[in-house]
């Protein structure tokens, strides 16, 4: 995964095209780097899963 693909997945979450996106631990750092560069990164919620993967969801109200 590269940053461009990560941004495409984040846009899909934001636009409601996907409810959630599973990020395997092998590409987590690349995905997270793309995420924190966004102005709306506080709207994304990552939920850690057993085994090291993370499930991201987009929230209408940003986290504090």
């Amino acid at each position: 995964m590269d940053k461009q693909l990560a941004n495409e997945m984040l846009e899909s979450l934001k636009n409601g095209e996907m409810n959630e996106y599973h990020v395997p631990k092998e590409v987590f750092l690349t995905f997270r780097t793309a995420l924190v560069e966004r102005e709306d990164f506080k709207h994304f919620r990552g939920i850690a899963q057993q085994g090291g993967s993370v499930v991201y969801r987009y929230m209408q109200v940003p986290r504090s």
Side-chain angles (χ1 to χ4, degrees), residues 10 15-16 21 26 32-33 37-38 40 44 47 57:
L10 291 165
N15 296 333
Y21 183 67
E26 296 81 19
R32 175 99 172 116
T33 300
E37 291 176 353
R38 295 175 60 99
D40 63 345
F44 293 91
I47 303 166
R57 294 186 180 124

Side-chain angles (χ1 to χ4, degrees), residues 6-7 11 15 27 29-30 39 43-44 63:
N7 279 318
E11 281 297 318
N15 296 333
V27 297
L29 290 177
T30 305
E39 286 186 30
H43 286 268
F44 293 91
R63 57 187 164 80

Side-chain angles (χ1 to χ4, degrees), residues 7-29:
N7 279 318
E8 289 174 11
M9 296 298 109
L10 291 165
E11 281 297 318
S12 292
L13 282 170
K14 180 180 177 179
N15 296 333
E17 297 168 8
M18 295 189 302
N19 291 331
E20 61 185 26
Y21 183 67
H22 296 263
V23 178
K25 68 179 180 177
E26 296 81 19
V27 297
F28 172 76
L29 290 177

Side-chain angles (χ1 to χ4, degrees), residues 32-63:
R32 175 99 172 116
T33 300
L35 174 62
V36 297
E37 291 176 353
R38 295 175 60 99
E39 286 186 30
D40 63 345
F41 81 98
K42 288 196 172 194
H43 286 268
F44 293 91
R45 179 176 182 195
I47 303 166
Q49 304 293 302
Q50 189 172 5
S53 64
V54 180
V55 175
Y56 280 96
R57 294 186 180 124
Y58 186 81
M59 302 181 306
Q60 295 299 321
V61 179
R63 57 187 164 80

